[in-house]
Amino acid sequence: MAHEKFQLCIDACYACATECEHCSVSCLQEQDVKSMTRCIKLDMDCAQICRVAASYMARGSEFAQAICRVCAEICEACGEECAKHSMDHCQRCAEACRRCAEECRRMAQVA
């Protein structure tokens, strides 16, 4: 079954989506919210594409590889932006994004 074959990537996507959602909400509570605008937007984009990618893999969609390539690209951008900020929630998000990007690239090459 497709979901078993890609379980590590699916798990990484859901973990990343969770960290991105937490990060975006936490960024909204920072002193200088305006400086966090790009981070918040990328968090939202990343969380959404991660859930989409996990769903496509779980059902064995013929487009899962393409979605995972895009997911890796967005995760990379989000991770780079979050890594610029010293807050713990941003650093945890950056790490989750890096892991997810790595798993999505691996999935896109193997599938």
Side-chain angles (χ1 to χ4, degrees), residues 98-110:
R98 285 189 287 269
R99 279 193 307 271
C100 190
E102 183 180 316
E103 287 297 331
C104 280
R105 280 192 195 94
R106 185 175 299 129
M107 178 279 174
Q109 291 172 342
V110 172

Side-chain angles (χ1 to χ4, degrees), residues 17-54:
T18 299
E19 287 297 334
C20 286
E21 293 286 358
H22 173 72
C23 187
S24 66
V25 169
S26 296
C27 285
L28 287 170
Q29 296 173 13
E30 291 297 332
Q31 187 98 30
D32 184 9
V33 176
K34 191 168 182 119
S35 70
M36 304 304 294
T37 301
R38 184 164 190 264
C39 189
I40 295 165
K41 287 179 178 182
L42 284 170
D43 283 337
M44 292 188 302
D45 286 348
C46 193
Q48 189 166 17
I49 194 69
C50 284
R51 285 190 293 271
V52 168

Side-chain angles (χ1 to χ4, degrees), residues 33-102:
V33 176
K34 191 168 182 119
S35 70
M36 304 304 294
T37 301
R38 184 164 190 264
C39 189
I40 295 165
K41 287 179 178 182
L42 284 170
D43 283 337
M44 292 188 302
D45 286 348
C46 193
Q48 189 166 17
I49 194 69
C50 284
R51 285 190 293 271
V52 168
S55 177
Y56 274 53
M57 285 183 281
R59 67 175 177 266
S61 171
E62 66 184 276
F63 298 104
Q65 266 184 293
I67 294 294
C68 282
R69 278 190 214 98
V70 172
C71 187
E73 184 178 336
I74 293 171
C75 284
E76 189 69 35
C78 187
E80 287 175 9
E81 179 62 27
C82 284
K84 294 177 185 177
H85 306 285
S86 62
M87 292 78 80
D88 190 49
H89 58 85
C90 284
Q91 293 301 309
R92 283 194 318 269
C93 188
E95 181 57 34
C97 287
R98 285 189 287 269
R99 279 193 307 271
C100 190
E102 183 180 316

